[in-house]
Amino acid sequence: MYDEQQRPDHSPGPGPSHGPLAGFTVGVTAARRADELGALLQRRGASVLHAPALRIVPLSDDSELLAATKELIDQAPDVVVATTAIGFRGWVEAADGWGLGENLLDRLRGVELLARGPKVKGAIRAAGLTEEWSPSSESMAEVLDRLLDEGVEGRRVAIQLHGEPLPGFVESLRAAGAEVVGVPVYRWLPPEDLGPVDRLLEAAVTRGLDALTFTSAPAAASLLSRAEERGLLPELLAALHHDVLPACVGPVTALPLQAHGVDTVSPERFRLGPLVQLLCQELPGRARTLPIAGHRVEIRGHAVLVDGELRPVPPAGMSLLRALSRQPGWVVARAELLRALPGAGKDEHAVETAMARLRTALGAPKLIQTVVKRGYRLALDPASDSKYGDA
């Protein structure tokens, strides 16, 4: 499907049709369900750059989970809160592997079992258990409200942790008098191979990405931590503030980014499908669209739509086009365009070469005019000059 070791494939798909994300490159930081997210993005036309920002400790190797499981079997809780389907299934499977599966299920049958959402309910029932209650909102805040309304003083509450912070949840229960036992179903660690993460960071800070997706708070925290280790944190934050759209599957996932002052977008439903649909709305809405030489030109990440037709453009050409579009209709000097070219050096001939390739890629040479001895300009339609002249 796609390989985190390689650059994204920017070649156009077969036929003239394209998806809403065609021409955009999206970074994927997920370790789990990355293939599913990547496939959803690619089906809508995006190029995908994948780098798992963390790895999951195998459950059967996790001594903390084993200790917590034995503790709950030996000393029954009053309430168990199951937070994720994969985590609950993994907990039961790990207990089976340790020879404790039936003991754990017997213990869970005798307690008040709360499920955060429908997927967790499915996992609970697949294990032969029945939940007592589940919130319609899939919100841990609603779970907390129910517990506090019931009263938790003197009660023992076990919470299946899922690698993401639960801000205020444990503290609120303890403040209300509960004994809280955390069940660390899986733990996050940095990836063993940091190469893909470093390449993703480079793509982000050089604006080679249009969006960066996060499906867990630990992945966001891990990427920020790696950026800080490499001295790239200020550059990464600047990119996320201005040019690279940070898209999170939900508000909990966004917390590490928001702690650094980064505004994020999230879908109303905390699922991969709605996350992709959100990108399908946001990214085209951020693209620059100009009326040029009788054509409608939409400038995307690594491609241009000319009258709705997708035209992939080389990176150097995109750099020139963005420089011209910052002052549409105005002449941009060759020296300024040269500075916009990555690694072009001091030879202005590089501008002419890149410009020729850009015109070929656009398939409409008259979009860009040469102004002799001065530079180049976008041939903005006359009726639009006053609108864009001060841009």
Side-chain angles (χ1 to χ4, degrees):
M1 192 196 64
Y2 59 92
D3 183 356
E4 68 266 20
Q5 305 288 342
Q6 300 175 0
R7 294 178 61 84
D9 180 10
H10 289 169
S11 59
S17 63
H18 56 81
L21 295 180
F24 295 112
T25 302
V26 179
V28 171
T29 61
R32 184 170 63 85
R33 298 181 69 192
D35 287 352
E36 180 182 348
L37 177 55
L40 287 171
L41 290 165
Q42 288 182 326
R43 280 202 294 271
R44 287 156 180 81
S47 293
V48 175
L49 190 62
H50 176 222
L54 42 77
R55 59 190 168 95
I56 301 172
V57 173
L59 295 169
S60 59
D61 296 339
D62 200 325
S63 57
E64 292 181 40
L65 177 61
L66 175 58
T69 302
K70 287 180 175 179
E71 180 185 350
L72 292 177
I73 291 171
D74 292 341
Q75 186 178 352
D78 299 292
V79 183
V80 173
V81 180
T83 59
T84 64
I86 186 174
F88 190 83
R89 285 195 301 268
W91 185 16
V92 174
E93 290 169 4
D96 279 337
W98 297 322
L100 300 173
E102 283 304 318
N103 291 338
L104 175 62
L105 293 177
D106 286 343
R107 179 60 76 200
L108 293 177
R109 287 188 185 98
V111 305
E112 180 183 347
L113 187 54
L114 307 182
R116 184 172 77 161
K119 289 188 176 181
V120 194
K121 285 200 303 188
I124 288 172
R125 294 178 184 183
L129 304 171
T130 304
E131 80 289 345
E132 183 161 322
W133 176 83
S134 178
S136 58
S137 66
E138 305 180 44
S139 165
M140 288 298 288
E142 195 172 341
V143 176
L144 177 61
D145 287 343
R146 176 185 170 90
L147 288 170
L148 295 178
D149 288 344
E150 286 180 349
V152 294
E153 185 170 2
R155 302 183 80 195
R156 184 172 163 85
V157 181
I159 304 171
Q160 172 226 314
L161 305 174
H162 54 98
E164 299 185 7
L166 298 172
F169 193 94
V170 172
E171 293 83 352
S172 297
L173 291 176
R174 285 180 175 152
E179 178 191 354
V180 181
V181 179
V183 181
V185 177
Y186 43 82
R187 290 187 295 127
W188 306 111
L189 292 175
E192 291 181 338
D193 180 7
L194 290 168
V197 174
D198 287 344
R199 287 191 286 276
L200 187 69
L201 283 172
E202 295 288 348
V205 301
T206 59
R207 278 53 171 186
L209 298 178
D210 300 291
L212 194 53
T213 62
F214 300 92
T215 57
S216 72
S222 179
L223 190 72
L224 292 168
S225 175
R226 181 57 181 168
E228 188 168 22
E229 288 175 8
R230 296 193 56 207
L232 292 175
L233 184 57
E235 294 175 63
L236 176 63
L237 295 177
L240 294 174
H241 276 300
H242 301 293
D243 302 300
V244 180
L245 177 67
C248 299
V249 76
V252 172
T253 295
L255 289 174
L257 295 161
Q258 291 172 351
H260 284 82
V262 174
D263 292 329
T264 64
V265 297
S266 298
E268 290 185 7
R269 294 182 62 247
F270 311 148
R271 296 283 185 271
L272 296 186
L275 176 64
V276 173
Q277 289 303 319
L278 180 64
L279 289 174
C280 290
Q281 298 166 14
E282 291 282 342
L283 288 180
R286 292 160 62 100
R288 188 80 185 271
T289 301
L290 296 169
I292 305 173
H295 300 275
R296 183 180 185 274
V297 177
E298 181 179 327
I299 303 169
R300 297 190 166 193
H302 58 259
V304 177
L305 294 182
V306 180
D307 297 329
E309 182 182 352
L310 185 68
R311 309 287 304 193
V313 174
M318 288 303 304
S319 297
L320 293 181
L321 188 57
R322 288 195 188 93
L324 292 169
S325 69
R326 281 194 285 270
Q327 305 173 69
W330 290 67
V331 177
V332 182
R334 283 182 174 81
E336 185 176 341
L337 292 172
L338 182 64
R339 287 193 293 273
L341 283 177
K346 299 181 179 179
D347 186 0
E348 290 188 3
H349 179 68
V351 174
E352 297 173 13
T353 302
M355 190 63 71
R357 291 174 179 166
L358 171 59
R359 283 170 163 157
T360 299
L362 293 175
K366 293 183 180 180
L367 295 176
I368 302 172
Q369 294 177 338
T370 301
V371 182
V372 179
K373 296 184 179 180
R374 292 181 61 197
Y376 299 89
R377 65 184 291 272
L378 293 180
L380 200 68
D381 288 344
S384 304
D385 284 345
S386 59
K387 181 178 179 182
Y388 295 100
D390 296 327

